[in-house]
Structure formats: structure tokens, C-alpha cells
């Protein structure tokens, strides 16, 4: 599995350095914005902070992330998810040698 | 309660920072340029100047400052070759990298195992910075901290990079600049006011009485009163009755002994100045300790009736029509009615308007046009000879049709496949066990698991404001067009785009449809985003897109190659679109190929434009006011939501209540629309303000100097809360005839709920910038600047209503600005 981790790192590095991450991030941001996801998740975070037992001043980022992640994941529209999966797949295909194809 | 803007003890700051601030900032000076280059590498490479970070001379840390072409090239190479950092422990280049501010360590931050936290704990270092989002983490507090000095510095750094990124997104573009209001204050006076000002607890939020079916006027007024530019201008005496041809009569009378009324009294006969009346309304709304909860805009209504006979009477009017009428009247008030200094002394002079030389080319310098006026571009392309002609038209707002049906957001209308990586440098040398097939299997496994959890949400298409904009800027076919170039009648296409974006964008959703038989109201729900990116609808983006479609030549005459990876000197759209048509051989079969023309193609084109262009930081907008219409076509009621100091309020004539963003954006209707149930859209108008304002540093600018102000220094302001000009802390000054200065400060009551340091949601969900406080470091020391700096300083804070329990509202921020992929 050490090999796998190494390749993952290398893939990620290519992903970032080729500018693919930057490109996809920008597209994803616009799509999520248009889908209303961003506004809904922000609203949910506000509620989490408001309803926190320790008082709004004591909430940490990690706690909010913990609570909001399931909701935020589920709220991502299906089509956006599959589009980006497709993109990720395409990137991997382009980066990896076709040893078995 | 007295509030001193400089009392730092009232802010919740990190107790551990203290004397270390300077060291932290010194580290940031190195890290921030590095982080910006890593984050915006591709965008910067496309820019005219490459690593145009040196556009701000302050950025010498990042790049050697040379102005020559050689320098540009070396800078580009520097940007290109700068390595991306990775975690020192596990070597991952992703996963929320943080940089230690005491040593060279970079560490990742995953839930459960955070290598940066481990490092901080073990080596006893305290501060780290989120490398992508640039937020300061304090290990002793175990949270992100928002210190005034550090966030102020970061904001200054952002402003310096802003210009570079704007330039990269749209080379050679000129960003229109705002002329800031003048102020007659000396620095000493400004300081006195700053130190001695008091604030009414709910100054600025006041209902307006309905004076007989005048809810249309109420909502328009609220939209104007909460317009950051207009409010800032009014509160700093942008238009004062004493200097107004029309308002002066009433003003002098009101100052006569016996009348204690400070409000301008209406002038004689049928003269009226809308600007004076608005100034009166601003005064009334911001008056500290107002007795009555609501205020009757009698003077304004009278002015409207006098100036616009067609709107007079007690009938119901259209809010959009009313807004246009008010803006028109305000323009007259700000220009024609203003008396010059010479006229005040009794000498006769021409009206100001005739001295302000402005034509179709140079836009009107009055505030209405500075705030609302943009330029639309209409591009007509002859299908026979391919000649394009541009026509430019001024606009004050954008009236959007609501498209009847939304294109389904399928993959086909969406993403453009990435440019193929042909150069071998991006090919990996991997162990043979790790193959494409294995990765593919791993990738397909993941979503299936997740699909089950999210399938219940339904995905009926919902019309969004972006859809309306895409529809607005779609390619239209013209039937018979007489081409000037090929002198023949031929079919042509026409496309609208925005050439120049105004600081305040007003949208009208055309909900009133007049067919031949009858008029009906369209009550389709339209989703409004809180943040709007206008980049894809600008003329530059549209041009890049059509260039890409015709696939001919880039602007510098080089033929765009169909191969190769990132083409640094061409626009993103070109390379992406060209490549999109030739999917590389090693692409999977099911890779979507965009259909260039087809059913519903126009809206899909808009979508793809979004994908193709780097978003321009100068085209970012935040929502600050929504006008809703309830009821039918011919009878109904208007209400308005407006944001005041980060809090949303619902204004229903005289009634004002706190509102949540979920009310403003109608989440309930949104959900119903997504589930395919009947939903009702109420939003009729929406007002957006630019998040970053370019302005001329116009200290001591009187109206006469507006035109020549372009020679002045220029600067850029960034807003933390989406309101760059905050009235809180704005100084009202009245310079009386005898020269004495009567000044009162409208500040704010300091609430106990400070959004200073909050728990911040994060981890691939959202990132909060926090309520950034403190002035940007790029500030000059002129008088006007002092006023601006004060406005800047005192914003982003919350003012709880005096009578209500303090409620927490997280700071306004640019959340989810970075989603880890």
C-alpha cells in the first residue's frame, strides 16, 4: 500500500501543479454558488454556532466542520457530483500510464 | 453609551499574539506572496504581466521588481516554477496545508490527524497559517484568531494582489473608479469626533409609514437608504440643502428663529429637490434616539408627485418605475440644483450641470450614475462576412426575463473536458500495480456509496439569477440585417454583454408579462445567490467565448494551437473550447462533448462560459437588498429585505423585523422548487454591491472637482461585510454660514456580541474570513482618507437592537471561497 500512497501523492502533486485543481475549484465554486449550496451550508453553520451548548464564543472550527459535513455532503447536487467525478477520472486517465488498457 | 473606535480591549483578540504580532507579520510577508502564487498560478500566468503581483510596488518580496519585458518573462518563469508545498510529515500536497509561523514547517490538517497541530504541540510553536485561505491559527487558543493588526495586514496584502488578479483575469481592462465624498474636516476635528461621538442603538433601521398605497415608494427608499454608496455620500454631506438651489429656500426658513425643525421644509410652489428630500430622509432614519418607530416620507412623496406627474395620485405604482423616477430626480438634484461657491455668495453663475462637461463618453459624475450606471455592449455579427459591430449603451439597471424552462443541468451542458496533458512531464512513472483501472474502480466505488444518502433531495431544475443572466446574454438571431461591411442583407446574430459593471447592480425580474389578451404575473421561483460572480456576462468573457467558438485567432494574431497544455498567452476560453472539440484519444468514451448549437443551447452556452473564464475579482458582488412583490398583477404589496451592519431586516412599510438569510433567499420556496412542488417566487428586484471598490482618493472633492478628480491618486477598498462604506461612525458635519462647525457623530453602540473571534466552520466545507477589522494598510493620510479609514475601522461589527436579547450572527464573510478538491 506504500506504493499506493506514493502514487496518490504524486497524482495530487500533478493535480495541483498542472493547474487542474485551480481550474476545477473555480468551476466547482461557481456551480455550487448557482445551486444555492453555499448559502444553505452557511445558514446551517450559523445555526450550529447559535445552538452550540458552549456559547457562540467557544465553538471551534473543527466542531462546526464535524457537525456540518454530513449535511454539506448530502446537499451537493447529484449532477455536480457526477460531473466532478468524471473530471477526476479523466485527469487520472490522462496522468497514468495505460498499462492494462 | 460612548463608544471609542480605538478601544482595542473591546475586541476579543488572541491573548497570545501580543508582542509577537511583528514577527508574525514578518513571516507573512514571505508566505502570503508564495501562497497567492500557488493558489492563482494559472490565472497569474495568463495575465499581461505574468506574476503581476509586482503591479503593487509593495510586493517586492515576491518578485524582483523590473519593468522590462525581460522582467516579465522571468517573473512568469518564477511563477511557473515555484513548487507547491507539501506536508513535511506525510508529503501530501493537498489536505488543508498550514505553514508554521515560527519555522519552515508545512503540515496538513485532516480531521483526526493533523500534522500541523502535532508539530505545533511538539515544537512548542504557537501560530500557523492556513496556506490556501490565509487564516491565522493559534495553537494556544486551539482555533483561528482574528487579530486586528494581522487581519488588517492581510487585507492590505489582498488589496495589493487584487489588482494583479483583476489584470490577469481581464488584461488591459480599466476598472471604473468611484470618487469618494469630500469632507471639510481637519484631522483634529476628525479625531475629536472619533473620540467623542455617540451612537443611537438602532440608527439606520426605521420603518416608513404607508401614505396611501405607497409601499412601492417605501421599498425603493429602503433600497436607497441601505445602499452603501448612497448612504455614505448622504451622511457625509454629499448633498446639503444649504448648497441646493431648490432646497435652500426651505433650509433658510427652517433655520429662522422660531422653528426648531431641522428637517428641510419644502420649497415654495411646485419646486422640489429629490436629493434634499432624500437627505432629509437619511437624517430622519439615522437620527439618534428617534421617538417614533416609523417615519413618514411626506417630502419625498411630494417631490415625486411634483417632479413626476405620471406617478402622482394614490394609485399603486410599479416599484421599478418608481426607482427609475427617483434616480432620475436624484440625478437632477445632484447636478442641476447644486449651487457653486460663487452662487452662494450672491454672484450669479451658470448651473453646475453646464460646467460639468460630460458627454456620452465620459460618464456623468453625479452619485447616481457613479453608483448605478454601467455600460451594456451589444455585439452584432454578420453571418455572411463575419464582421462584428459593437454598440454601447448606458444602463442603470438590468431587467431580466425569466426563462420559461431551465436547461437540465446534465453533464452535457456543463463541463468542458480538461485540456489533455500531452507533455510527458505530467505523465507519472508508477509501479505497475497502480493502474488506471484500479483507480477507476476506486473512484466508482465512492460515489455509489454516497448517492444513496443524497438521492432523496430531488433535483428538479430551479431557475437561478445566473440562468436569467445567461438568458439575457444569449446569442439571438436577427432576421434581416443590413451589414455595413459586406453591404448585403444577411442573417446575423446579436449578443448582449456588460461592458462596464457599476458598483451597485440593480436587477429587475420581469414578473409582469403582457400578452395580447391579458397581463399576467409570472410567479416562477428564482433563486438569488448571496454572492454573484458577473465575470461570465462581461464583454471580455463573451468575446473570449465567441472567439473560442469560431476558433480562429487569438488577439495577438497567433493561431491558437489545438494541442498542448495550458497556453499561457491565450485566453482560457480559447484553449479549453478548442480542445473540447477534439477529445484526446485516451479520454473515456463517455466523456461529454459540449454541443455547440442545439436545443436550449443559449443557456448552456452561458454555463460553459462560466467554466472557461477565470473569475475576475473585480466582478464579485454581494446581495444587500431584495424587493419582494406579493399578490397579483394589478394589486399587491411590496416588502423589502435589506442588510444593515451585517444583519438582515424585513421592511414592511412601518414594520421592521429581523430577518434571516433563509427568509431573504426564501429557502422554503427553494426546497419546494427543487422537489418539484409548487413554489411561488416573490423576489422582484435585487440589489448587489461590489465586494471590492476601486475609488479615487478624493479628499476635499467638491462637485466642481469631480471631473478633474481622475488625476488624483487611486486606491482600492475591500469590504469585509459586503458594505464598503458603513455609515456607523460617519461624521455628520454642518458648516454654518458663520463658519462654525456643528458636528455630531453617528457612531454605533458597541454590542456585547462581537463577531471577532468565532468558531469557524471549515474542512472542505467553508472557510470564513471573519469580520476583518482595521484599515487596509494601503492608506494615505489625507483628511478624506481619515474619514474613510474611520468608516473602514468601524464596520463589520454587530449592533444588537437595544430592546432585544443579544443574538449571535456570524460575521459576513466570503465563505466557501476555497473548497478543497
Amino acid at each position: 500500500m506504500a506504493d499506493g500512497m506514493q502514487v496518490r501523492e504524486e497524482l495530487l502533486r500533478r493535480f495541483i501543479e498542472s493547474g487542474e485543481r485551480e481550474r476545477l475549484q473555480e468551476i466547482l465554486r461557481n456551480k455550487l454558488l448557482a445551486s444555492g449550496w453555499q448559502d444553505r451550508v452557511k445558514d446551517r453553520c450559523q445555526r450550529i454556532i447559535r445552538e452550540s451548548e458552549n456559547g457562540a464564543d467557544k465553538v471551534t472550527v473543527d466542531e462546526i466542520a464535524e457537525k456540518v459535513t454530513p449535511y454539506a455532503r448530502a446537499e451537493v447536487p447529484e449532477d455536480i457530483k457526477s460531473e466532478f467525478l468524471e473530471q477526476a477520472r479523466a485527469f487520472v486517465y490522462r496522468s497514468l500510464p495505460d498499462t492494462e488498457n | 453609551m460612548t463608544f471609542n473606535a480605538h478601544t482595542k480591549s473591546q475586541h476579543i483578540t488572541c491573548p497570545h499574539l501580543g508582542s509577537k504580532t511583528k514577527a508574525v507579520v514578518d513571516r507573512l510577508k514571505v508566505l502570503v506572496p508564495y501562497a497567492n502564487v500557488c493558489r492563482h498560478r494559472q490565472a497569474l500566468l495568463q495575465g499581461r504581466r505574468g506574476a503581476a503581483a509586482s503591479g503593487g510596488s509593495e510586493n517586492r518580496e515576491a518578485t524582483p521588481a523590473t519593468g522590462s519585458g525581460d522582467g516579465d518573462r522571468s517573473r512568469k518563469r518564477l511563477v511557473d516554477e515555484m513548487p507547491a508545498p507539501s506536508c513535511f510529515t506525510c508529503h501530501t500536497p493537498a489536505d488543508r496545508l498550514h505553514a508554521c509561523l515560527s519555522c519552515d514547517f508545512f503540515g496538513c490538517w485532516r480531521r483526526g490527524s493533523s500534522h500541523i497541530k502535532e508539530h505545533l504541540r511538539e515544537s512548542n510553536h504557537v501560530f500557523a497559517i492556513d496556506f490556501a485561505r490565509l487564516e491565522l491559527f493559534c495553537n494556544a487558543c486551539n482555533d483561528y484568531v482574528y487579530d486586528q493588526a494581522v487581519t488588517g495586514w492581510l487585507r492590505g496584502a489582498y488589496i495589493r494582489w487584487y489588482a494583479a488578479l483583476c489584470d490577469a483575469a481581464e488584461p488591459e481592462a480599466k476598472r471604473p473608479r468611484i470618487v469618494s465624498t469630500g469632507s471639510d474636516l481637519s484631522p483634529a476635528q476628525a479625531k475629536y469626533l472619533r473620540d467623542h461621538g455617540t451612537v443611537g442603538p438602532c440608527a439606520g433601521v426605521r420603518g416608513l409609514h404607508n401614505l396611501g398605497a405607497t409601499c412601492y415608494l417605501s421599498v425603493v427608499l429602503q433600497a436607497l437608504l441601505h445602499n452603501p454608496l448612497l448612504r455614505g455620500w448622504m451622511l457625509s454631506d454629499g448633498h446639503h440643502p444649504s448648497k441646493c438651489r431648490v432646497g435652500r429656500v426651505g433650509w433658510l426658513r427652517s433655520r429662522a428663529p422660531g422653528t426648531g425643525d431641522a428637517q428641510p421644509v419644502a420649497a415654495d410652489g411646485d419646486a422640489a429637490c429629490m436629493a434634499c428630500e432624500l437627505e432629509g430622509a437619511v437624517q430622519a432614519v439615522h437620527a439618534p434616539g428617534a421617538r417614533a418607530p416609523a417615519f413618514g416620507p411626506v417630502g419625498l412623496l411630494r417631490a415625486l408627485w411634483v417632479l413626476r406627474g405620471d406617478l402622482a395620485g394614490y394609485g399603486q405604482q410599479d416599484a421599478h418605475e418608481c426607482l427609475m423616477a427617483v434616480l432620475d430626480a436624484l440625478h437632477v438634484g445632484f447636478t442641476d440644483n447644486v449651487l457653486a461657491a460663487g452662487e452662494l455668495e450672491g454672484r450669479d453663475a451658470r448651473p453646475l450641470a453646464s460646467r460639468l462637461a460630460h458627454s456620452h463618453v465620459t460618464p456623468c459624475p453625479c452619485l447616481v450614475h457613479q453608483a448605478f450606471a454601467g455600460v451594456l455592449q451589444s455585439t452584432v455579427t454578420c453571418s455572411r462576412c463575419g464582421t462584428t459591430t459593437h454598440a454601447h449603451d448606458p444602463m442603470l439597471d438590468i431587467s431580466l426575463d425569466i426563462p420559461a424552462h431551465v436547461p437540465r443541468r446534465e453533464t452535457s451542458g456543463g463541463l468542458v473536458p480538461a485540456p489533455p496533458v500531452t507533455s510527458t512531464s505530467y505523465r507519472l512513472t508508477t509501479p505497475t500495480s497502480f493502474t488506471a483501472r484500479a483507480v477507476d474502480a476506486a473512484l466508482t466505488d465512492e460515489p455509489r456509496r454516497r448517492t444513496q444518502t443524497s438521492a432523496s433531495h430531488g433535483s428538479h431544475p430551479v431557475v437561478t439569477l445566473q440562468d436569467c443572466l445567461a438568458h439575457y446574454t444569449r446569442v439571438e438571431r436577427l432576421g434581416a440585417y443590413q451589414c455595413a461591411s459586406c453591404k448585403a442583407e444577411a442573417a446575423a446574430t446579436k449578443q448582449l454583454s456588460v461592458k462596464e459593471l457599476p458598483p451597485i447592480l440593480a436587477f429587475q425580474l420581469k414578473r409582469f408579462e403582457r400578452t395580447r389578451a391579458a397581463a399576467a404575473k409570472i410567479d416562477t421561483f428564482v433563486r438569488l445567490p448571496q454572492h454573484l460572480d458577473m465575470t461570465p456576462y462581461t464583454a471580455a468573457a463573451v468575446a473570449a467565448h465567441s472567439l473560442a467558438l469560431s476558433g480562429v485567432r487569438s488577439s495577438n494574431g497567433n493561431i491558437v494551437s489545438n494541442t498542448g497544455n495550458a497556453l499561457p498567452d491565450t485566453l482560457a476560453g480559447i484553449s479549453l473550447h478548442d480542445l473540447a472539440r477534439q477529445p484526446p484519444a485516451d479520454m473515456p468514451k463517455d466523456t461529454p462533448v459540449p454541443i455547440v448549437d442545439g436545443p436550449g443551447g443559449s443557456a448552456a452556452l452561458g454555463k460553459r462560459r462560466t467554466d472557461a473564464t477565470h473569475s475576475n475579482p473585480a466582478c464579485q458582488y454581494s446581495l444587500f437588498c431584495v424587493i419582494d412583490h406579493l399578490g397579483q398583477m394589478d394589486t399587491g404589496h411590496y416588502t423589502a429585505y435589506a442588510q444593515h451592519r451585517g444583519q438582515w431586516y424585513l421592511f414592511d412599510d412601518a414594520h421592521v423585523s429581523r430577518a434571516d438569510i433563509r427568509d431573504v433567499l426564501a429557502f422554503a420556496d427553494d426546497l419546494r422548487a427543487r422537489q418539484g412542488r409548487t413554489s411561488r417566487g416573490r423576489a422582484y428586484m435585487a440589489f448587489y454591491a461590489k465586494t471590492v471598490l476601486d475609488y479615487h482618493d478624493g479628499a476635499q472633492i467638491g462637485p466642481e472637482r469631480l471631473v478633474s478628480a481622475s488625476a488624483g491618486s487611486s486606491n482600492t477598498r475591500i469590504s469585509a461585510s459586503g458594505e464598503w462604506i458603513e455609515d456607523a461612525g460617519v461624521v455628520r458635519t454642518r458648516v454654518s454660514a458663520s463658519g462654525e462647525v456643528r458636528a455630531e457623530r453617528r457612531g454605533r453602540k458597541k454590542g456585547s456580541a462581537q463577531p471577532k473571534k468565532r468558531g469557524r466552520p471549515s474542512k472542505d466545507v467553508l472557510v470564513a474570513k471573519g469580520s476583518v477589522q482595521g484599515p487596509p494598510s494601503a492608506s494615505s493620510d489625507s483628511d478624506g482618507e481619515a474619514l474613510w479609514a474611520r468608516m473602514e475601522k468601524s464596520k463589520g461589527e454587530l449592533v444588537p437592537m437595544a430592546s432585544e436579547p443579544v443574538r449571535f450572527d456570524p460575521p459576513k464573510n466570503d465563505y466557501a471561497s476555497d473548497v478543497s478538491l
Side-chain angles (χ1 to χ4, degrees):
Chain A
M1 209 50 219
D3 269 0
M5 285 310 286
Q6 208 182 339
V7 174
R8 179 182 180 274
E9 265 162 39
E10 202 50 39
L11 264 178
L12 277 172
R13 179 169 301 282
R14 297 292 178 222
F15 188 54
I16 293 165
E17 284 178 358
S18 65
E20 182 73 357
R21 177 169 84 159
E22 195 180 318
R23 190 183 75 92
L24 288 183
Q25 258 177 356
E26 203 146 287
I27 301 169
L28 181 62
R29 191 177 305 143
N30 279 327
K31 284 193 179 286
L32 287 178
L33 194 72
S35 75
W37 178 87
Q38 204 173 288
D39 293 328
R40 288 197 294 276
V41 171
K42 187 190 176 192
D43 179 66
R44 175 61 66 102
C45 289
Q46 293 192 347
R47 267 197 292 161
I48 290 170
I49 295 166
R50 229 174 269 153
E51 291 160 6
S52 78
E53 315 99 49
N54 301 336
D57 279 343
K58 298 277 160 55
V59 194
T60 66
V61 173
D62 279 348
E63 283 166 35
I64 301 170
E66 187 97 2
K67 286 180 187 162
V68 85
T69 305
Y71 172 81
R73 282 240 166 92
E75 278 291 304
V76 179
E78 220 30 63
D79 48 345
I80 296 184
K81 241 185 245 179
S82 50
E83 273 177 31
F84 278 84
L85 179 76
E86 211 50 67
Q87 292 285 310
R89 195 197 311 261
F91 177 79
V92 171
Y93 266 105
R94 275 178 278 128
S95 308
L96 287 175
D98 318 310
T99 38
E100 283 186 28
N101 283 350
Chain B
M1 179 182 166
T2 310
F3 152 54
N4 185 337
H6 290 305
T7 315
K8 277 187 182 161
S9 61
Q10 293 195 7
H11 300 299
I12 304 168
T13 47
C14 172
H16 313 100
L17 202 58
S19 59
K20 295 199 188 99
T21 309
K22 194 178 174 295
V24 164
V25 168
D26 281 346
R27 275 294 284 165
L28 289 179
K29 280 182 185 162
V30 180
L31 278 168
V32 167
Y34 183 25
N36 277 324
V37 166
C38 286
R39 190 172 165 196
H40 303 288
R41 193 191 305 262
Q42 297 304 318
L44 286 170
L45 282 173
Q46 278 167 18
R48 179 162 46 111
R49 284 175 291 180
S54 49
S57 54
E58 298 92 333
N59 265 295
R60 268 175 241 113
E61 312 106 24
T63 50
T66 42
S68 67
D70 264 2
D72 286 352
R73 239 168 285 131
S74 70
R75 236 169 286 150
K76 274 200 174 183
R77 215 182 58 225
L78 200 69
V79 168
D80 198 17
E81 291 172 0
M82 204 174 273
S86 58
C87 176
F88 277 26
T89 310
C90 66
H91 306 293
T92 173
D95 292 315
R96 269 176 79 192
L97 278 186
H98 283 61
C100 177
L101 290 181
S102 306
C103 63
D104 293 339
F105 190 87
F106 276 92
C108 66
W109 181 316
R110 276 177 263 194
R111 268 191 302 165
S113 73
S114 163
H115 290 140
I116 183 71
K117 272 192 180 177
E118 247 170 50
H119 163 80
L120 292 174
R121 206 172 37 242
E122 281 165 11
S123 55
N124 223 3
H125 294 159
V126 185
F127 296 104
I129 190 142
D130 185 322
F131 195 66
R133 299 166 187 82
L134 298 178
E135 308 226 341
L136 188 65
F137 177 79
C138 170
N139 200 39
C141 298
N142 194 25
D143 203 1
Y144 292 88
V145 291
Y146 297 87
D147 178 77
Q148 204 170 13
V150 176
T151 44
W153 188 88
L154 283 172
R155 188 149 61 143
Y158 178 83
I159 289 172
R160 290 192 289 273
W161 278 85
Y162 166 82
L165 288 170
C166 290
D167 182 67
E170 197 185 329
E172 313 286 340
K174 275 191 187 146
R175 302 192 301 278
R177 295 180 181 279
I178 308 303
V179 181
S180 61
T181 48
S183 155
D184 301 332
L185 288 176
S186 71
Q189 286 167 334
K191 185 176 184 311
Y192 179 85
L193 294 167
R194 199 161 53 230
D195 295 344
H196 296 84
T198 54
V199 195
C202 40
V205 178
R206 217 172 158 193
L208 297 170
H209 283 300
N210 194 325
L211 306 170
T214 58
C215 55
Y216 65 89
L217 182 65
S218 301
V219 291
V220 164
L221 269 183
Q222 293 293 2
L224 294 178
L225 292 172
H226 291 93
N227 178 328
L229 260 185
L230 203 57
R231 181 181 51 195
W233 167 270
M234 281 309 201
L235 283 171
S236 38
D237 270 354
H239 182 91
H240 195 264
S242 65
K243 290 173 187 163
C244 175
R245 186 182 307 283
V246 181
R248 191 172 165 78
V249 183
W251 180 73
L252 287 173
R253 192 186 301 152
S254 74
R255 288 174 53 85
T259 47
D261 194 1
Q263 274 205 39
V265 180
D268 291 321
D270 48 3
C273 173
M274 189 62 85
C276 291
E277 300 299 346
L278 186 66
E279 136 89 12
V282 170
Q283 287 289 317
V285 165
H286 286 268
R291 294 282 170 274
F295 152 77
V298 184
L300 264 157
L301 188 64
R302 181 188 163 276
L304 189 65
W305 286 16
V306 166
L307 298 169
R308 285 291 297 264
D310 52 324
L311 292 175
Y314 289 100
Q316 296 191 9
Q317 303 292 345
D318 178 58
H320 178 252
E321 207 174 316
C322 175
L323 175 72
M324 289 299 120
V326 169
L327 288 183
D328 197 34
L330 277 177
H331 161 74
V332 173
F334 286 145
T335 52
D336 291 4
N337 291 352
V338 176
L339 293 161
E343 291 174 286
L344 280 172
E345 288 156 22
R347 276 178 282 137
D348 195 47
R350 289 164 297 140
L352 184 70
S354 61
R355 275 170 291 147
L356 292 176
H358 64 265
S359 62
H360 193 67
V361 191
T362 52
C364 169
C366 89
L367 188 77
V368 168
H369 287 94
Q370 279 205 56
F372 288 94
V375 177
L376 278 177
Q377 175 171 297
S378 159
T379 308
V380 176
T381 310
C382 174
S383 60
R384 197 158 164 270
C385 63
T387 313
T388 56
T389 47
H390 302 295
H392 294 135
D393 289 303
M395 63 159 201
L396 277 182
D397 70 325
I398 299 180
S399 292
L400 297 169
D401 283 313
I402 301 173
H405 62 91
V406 210
R408 286 202 68 88
R409 285 186 190 77
E410 304 279 324
T411 336
S412 59
L415 282 174
V416 178
V421 183
T422 46
S423 86
T424 45
S425 69
Y426 288 127
R427 283 263 172 206
L428 295 180
T429 46
T430 55
T432 45
S433 64
F434 203 86
T435 59
R437 188 171 294 177
V439 172
D440 194 30
L443 277 172
T444 30
D445 211 30
E446 180 87 332
R448 244 173 237 149
R449 212 179 55 229
R450 290 205 196 137
T451 309
Q452 288 160 354
T453 58
S454 58
S456 59
H457 282 279
S459 55
H460 283 265
V462 179
V463 182
T464 64
L465 186 67
Q466 288 94 331
D467 287 331
C468 298
L469 278 164
H471 183 74
Y472 185 75
T473 55
R474 72 193 184 280
V475 179
E476 290 170 271
R477 290 193 198 290
L478 296 179
Y481 170 72
Q482 189 70 43
C483 180
S485 172
C486 59
K487 308 269 186 277
E489 196 167 288
T493 58
K494 180 193 161 205
Q495 190 171 21
L496 281 177
S497 56
V498 187
K499 174 92 174 139
E500 236 172 68
L501 283 162
I504 307 287
L505 255 179
F507 290 110
Q508 179 206 12
L509 295 171
K510 289 199 226 165
R511 293 200 176 275
F512 304 113
E513 191 180 45
R514 281 170 210 282
T515 56
R516 246 169 285 150
K521 183 181 171 186
I522 306 167
D523 56 3
T524 314
F525 175 79
V526 177
R527 178 189 290 149
L528 301 172
Q530 213 179 331
H531 295 275
L532 178 67
D533 182 1
M534 287 294 287
T535 315
Y537 318 109
T538 54
V542 166
H545 173 70
S546 52
L547 244 183
L549 281 187
S550 52
V552 261
R553 278 152 187 276
S554 68
S555 48
N556 53 14
N558 295 330
I559 294 184
V560 175
S561 88
N562 271 356
T563 53
N565 41 3
L567 298 164
D569 286 323
T570 53
L571 293 154
I574 299 169
S575 49
L576 289 184
H577 281 287
D578 274 357
L579 294 160
R581 278 189 249 146
Q582 297 188 337
D586 58 346
M587 280 280 194
K589 293 279 186 296
D590 54 347
T591 302
V593 179
I595 304 143
V596 170
D597 211 344
S602 56
L605 290 184
K607 290 241 144 41
R608 252 172 286 143
R609 280 207 301 275
T610 316
D611 300 342
T613 325
H614 276 290
S615 74
N616 188 341
C619 301
Q620 307 301 317
Y621 284 82
S622 302
L623 187 68
F624 71 89
C625 180
V626 178
I627 291 176
D628 281 358
H629 181 263
L630 312 146
Q632 303 310 308
M633 171 80 202
D634 45 354
T635 177
H637 183 54
Y638 285 110
T639 58
Y641 288 102
Q643 198 182 32
H644 184 76
R645 297 178 193 166
Q647 169 70 45
W648 284 92
Y649 294 92
L650 169 63
F651 296 91
D652 184 354
D653 285 335
H655 304 284
V656 183
S657 51
R658 276 166 171 262
D660 222 30
I661 189 68
R662 48 176 47 241
D663 308 321
V664 182
L665 304 180
F667 279 3
D669 280 304
D670 194 333
L671 185 64
R672 272 201 294 278
R674 270 185 292 151
Q675 290 171 342
R677 292 189 280 156
T678 50
S679 60
R680 189 150 288 193
R682 291 165 306 175
Y684 177 51
M685 296 185 74
F687 296 82
Y688 286 83
K690 235 180 206 178
T691 47
V692 180
L693 180 66
D694 289 289
Y695 78 105
H696 276 297
D697 204 358
Q700 307 287 328
I701 290 181
E704 295 90 342
R705 275 177 257 176
L706 288 181
V707 177
S708 59
S710 53
S713 64
S714 55
N715 215 326
T716 303
R717 287 200 182 271
I718 177 180
S719 101
S721 59
E723 301 182 43
W724 353 266
I725 306 167
E726 177 60 74
D727 56 289
V730 169
V731 176
R732 296 285 297 118
T733 48
R734 289 289 163 84
V735 183
S736 68
S738 62
E740 59 164 324
V741 176
R742 183 166 63 85
E744 36 185 324
R745 181 164 188 277
R746 313 244 189 260
R748 74 181 58 238
K749 185 184 162 195
K750 194 79 172 181
S752 52
Q754 286 295 321
K756 201 69 204 4
K757 186 203 124 208
R758 294 290 175 214
R760 234 136 270 281
S762 188
K763 185 65 186 178
D764 73 25
V765 176
L766 60 93
V767 55
K769 278 225 180 85
S771 84
V772 185
Q773 302 203 356
S777 57
S779 64
S780 76
D781 47 1
S782 62
D783 294 0
E785 183 59 36
L787 187 69
W788 279 83
R790 196 164 52 253
M791 292 178 195
E792 283 283 303
K793 223 167 264 173
S794 53
K795 73 183 175 196
E797 295 163 36
L798 280 177
V799 182
M801 300 289 278
S803 55
E804 291 180 49
V806 171
R807 201 174 68 162
F808 169 67
D809 292 283
K812 292 280 306 146
N813 49 49
D814 171 34
Y815 53 92
S817 63
D818 190 327
V819 179
S820 299
L821 279 166

